[in-house]
Amino acid sequence: MLLAALCCLLWSFRTSAGHFPRACASSKSLMEKECCPAWTGDSSPCGQLSGRGACQDITLSKAPLGPQYPFTGMDDREAWPSVFYNRTCQCFGNFMGFNCGNCKFGFWGPNCTEKRLLVRRNIFDLSVPEKNKFLAYLTLAKHTISPDYVIPIGTYGQMNNGSTPMFNDINVYDLFVWMHYYVSRDTLLGGSEIWKDIDFAHEAPGFLPWHRLFLLLWEQEIQKLTGDENFTIPYWDWRDAKSCDICTDEYMGGHNPANPNLLSPASFFSSWQIICTRLEEYNSRQALCDGTPEGPLLRNPGNHDKARTPRLPSSADVEFCLSLTQYESDSMDKAANFSFRNTLEGFASPLTGIADASQSSMHNALHIYMNGTMSQVQGSANDPIFLLHHAFVDSIFEQWLRRHHPLQEVYPEANAPIGHNRESYMVPFIPLYRNGDFFISSRDLGYDYSNLQDSGKCPKVTYIAFAQDLSHIDIICFKNGTFFKITLSPSWNKQVGSGHGSLGLLW
C-alpha cells in the first residue's frame, strides 16, 4: 500500500545522479565533445545567466600512472571523460550538477546557501514505519525510469565516434547498478582479447572515495525522487555477526524455502530482476551491458567458500584497521601492505596488515559471505544489501579520517593505478568529481553517522600537548576502557585545559 501511494504521488519528481545526461547523448554533443546542458531556471547553459556556472574546457591530470594498465587509447574510461567530452559545466560556489542545477553536498535551499547535516542510522534503530519507507523507496527507484540519465550500450568506437549514438533508458536503481558494473568491467581490446587487471573503483586508493560519492549520489537521487529531503541510507553494523541478521523478510529478504539461492516470496525483493552480471558473455561479444534483465536476485548467505572467508569481520578487525596510520602504501593496489585502504577493502589481513591473495576479509568478506549476486564485483550493487554494507564501510573510513586527520597530500598524487590518482576524475560520473575531493570528513559533505556523533567527546583527558607553533594540539583521552589520541587543528574550544569533562571539541 505504501509503495502504491508513493508511485502515484511521486512519479512526477525529477531526478539527477551520475553518468551520461540525456541532454548530452545526441550525436551533436558527442561529436562536438561538449556536455553543457541548460539549467531549467534560466534556460542558459550551466545556468550561466544566473551565475551558477559556465561551460569550460576540462583540465586533466598529467600525473603519471602505475604500471598495472599498459595500454593507451584502448578504453573509453582512460582520462575520463575526454573520450566522450572535453567541455562540461564547471559550477561556481555551492552549485553542483551536470547543468549546475543542484547544490553541493551539505548545502540546501534555492540558492544553495543553507548548510545542513543529515545522519545515517543503524537499520535496526529505524522504527517500523521508517524501515518500511526505506524498503518502499528502494522499490520505487526500481520502477522509475531516470528522466535525466541514459546508459551507453556501445563503446565510443562502436558509436562511430559519436555519429551513431547508442543509449538505453534505465530505471533509477539500475542506473547505479550499471555505474558499478561500468567502472569495474574489463577492457575490451578487440577480437576476443580483454584486459582484466583494471578497475577504476576497487583494488586501489580510490576505493573509499569512489564508493563515498556513489552513496551520496544515490542518497541524493532518492531525496529528489521521493521529495523526502531528510532521507539517508541506513547502515548495517556487521561487526561480530554470526549470521546475516538483516536477511529476513522484515528487512532485506529471507530464504526461499523451495530454493535457498532465491529470496522468500514474502520479500520486497523476490521479484527484482538483476542486470550486468554476465561479464564473460559481454567480453566474448566485445559488448557492454545494456541493462537487459538477467534473472532473479540470488543470495545464500553463509554457504560460501569458508576456506577463503572463514568468518565475518570482528570488532577487533575493525580496530586493527583503524590503527593503521598509512592510507596507502607500496604498489597502491591489492598487494599493498600495512595500508588502511587495502586492509579495509579486504585484500590484506586484519590481523597483520599483510596482503594475502588467498583470503577475502573485511569489506570483501561480506560480499563473499552473501554467496550470490553480491559476490561478483560487477553485478554486486544489484543486491540492496550493498548499500547498507557500503554505508558501514564508509563509516569506518570516516572513523579513520577523524582519528588520524590526514592532510589532502596523504592521498596519492601520482603512480596509483589508472583512475586512482588524487586529481583523476572518477569514472563514470558526470558532473566531474576528483578522488581527492572525497578524502575529507563526511561532516564537510553534509552527513554524519549516528554511531560516531559522540566520537569527538572525550570524557576524561589524561594528557594535552600543544605544538610549539600552536598549529595543533594532541589530546590523550580515556574512553570505554581504552586510551586514544585526538589531534586537533587548527581551532579548538576554549574549554580545553580543564583536564576533565567533555571538551566540546571543534572539528
Side-chain angles (χ1 to χ4, degrees), residues 58-65 78-82 412-416 418-426 432 434-435:
I58 295 169
T59 301
L60 297 172
S61 170
K62 296 180 180 179
L65 305 174
E78 296 175 32
W80 181 261
S82 61
E413 180 183 22
N415 300 313
I418 185 171
H420 289 265
N421 282 342
R422 187 195 311 154
E423 298 301 314
S424 296
Y425 290 119
M426 288 190 267
L432 304 178
R434 294 181 177 91
N435 289 301

Side-chain angles (χ1 to χ4, degrees), residues 75-333:
D75 193 309
D76 290 347
R77 300 168 296 179
E78 296 175 32
W80 181 261
S82 61
V83 169
F84 295 97
Y85 310 108
N86 54 33
R87 284 174 62 82
T88 62
C89 287
Q90 306 297 305
C91 303
F92 306 146
N94 295 331
F95 298 113
M96 187 182 80
F98 65 82
N99 63 356
C100 301
N102 296 336
C103 298
K104 282 185 177 179
F105 302 117
F107 291 88
W108 205 252
N111 297 311
C112 302
T113 56
E114 303 169 27
K115 291 201 70 172
R116 65 172 188 167
L117 186 72
L118 300 179
V119 178
R120 293 177 182 169
R121 299 160 58 200
N122 190 318
I123 191 169
F124 291 119
D125 290 338
L126 302 183
S127 67
V128 172
E130 288 172 332
K131 180 262 297 180
N132 288 341
K133 183 170 67 173
F134 169 63
L135 299 179
Y137 285 178
L138 288 168
T139 307
L140 179 62
K142 189 76 169 177
H143 291 86
T144 304
I145 296 297
S146 172
D148 290 335
Y149 282 88
V150 290
I151 59 168
I153 58 173
T155 65
Y156 192 69
Q158 290 167 350
M159 296 185 200
N160 297 314
N161 296 328
S163 63
T164 310
M166 299 169 62
F167 294 93
N168 273 358
D169 288 337
I170 195 162
N171 68 61
V172 171
Y173 188 93
D174 286 350
L175 171 65
F176 286 85
V177 176
W178 192 94
M179 286 193 286
H180 195 264
Y181 146 78
Y182 187 80
V183 76
S184 56
R185 69 174 177 85
D186 300 332
T187 293
L188 307 176
L189 297 176
S192 60
E193 298 299 312
I194 60 168
W195 184 261
K196 287 184 173 290
D197 191 14
I198 187 169
D199 194 313
F200 290 80
H202 303 87
E203 304 177 9
F207 167 68
L208 292 167
W210 191 94
H211 286 84
R212 169 164 282 195
L213 173 60
F214 179 93
L215 293 179
L216 278 165
L217 289 172
W218 195 92
E219 210 164 52
Q220 184 182 77
E221 187 76 1
I222 298 301
Q223 291 165 0
K224 294 188 175 188
L225 175 64
T226 63
D228 184 350
E229 299 176 353
N230 297 313
F231 169 78
T232 56
I233 298 169
Y235 62 85
W236 173 34
D237 184 346
W238 32 248
R239 291 174 299 177
D240 306 310
K242 303 303 181 186
S243 63
C244 181
D245 49 6
I246 58 171
C247 295
T248 66
D249 289 339
E250 291 74 25
Y251 286 93
M252 309 310 291
H255 278 304
N256 186 319
N259 184 341
N261 293 314
L262 298 177
L263 299 186
S264 162
S267 166
F268 265 80
F269 309 109
S270 61
S271 62
W272 278 29
Q273 287 283 304
I274 61 176
I275 64 167
C276 300
T277 61
R278 299 175 181 173
L279 194 65
E280 296 305 318
E281 177 188 322
Y282 313 144
N283 288 346
S284 67
R285 295 191 288 110
Q286 295 282 299
L288 300 182
C289 166
D290 62 7
T292 300
E294 296 174 348
L297 186 62
L298 304 177
R299 191 195 303 149
N300 190 353
N303 293 305
H304 61 288
D305 180 359
K306 293 182 176 62
R308 171 164 287 278
T309 302
R311 58 176 175 80
L312 292 175
S314 67
S315 296
D317 294 337
V318 172
E319 183 54 38
F320 177 83
C321 282
L322 291 170
S323 73
L324 294 170
T325 58
Q326 296 183 86
Y327 179 75
E328 200 52 87
S329 66
D330 305 325
S331 57
M332 296 184 280
D333 57 17

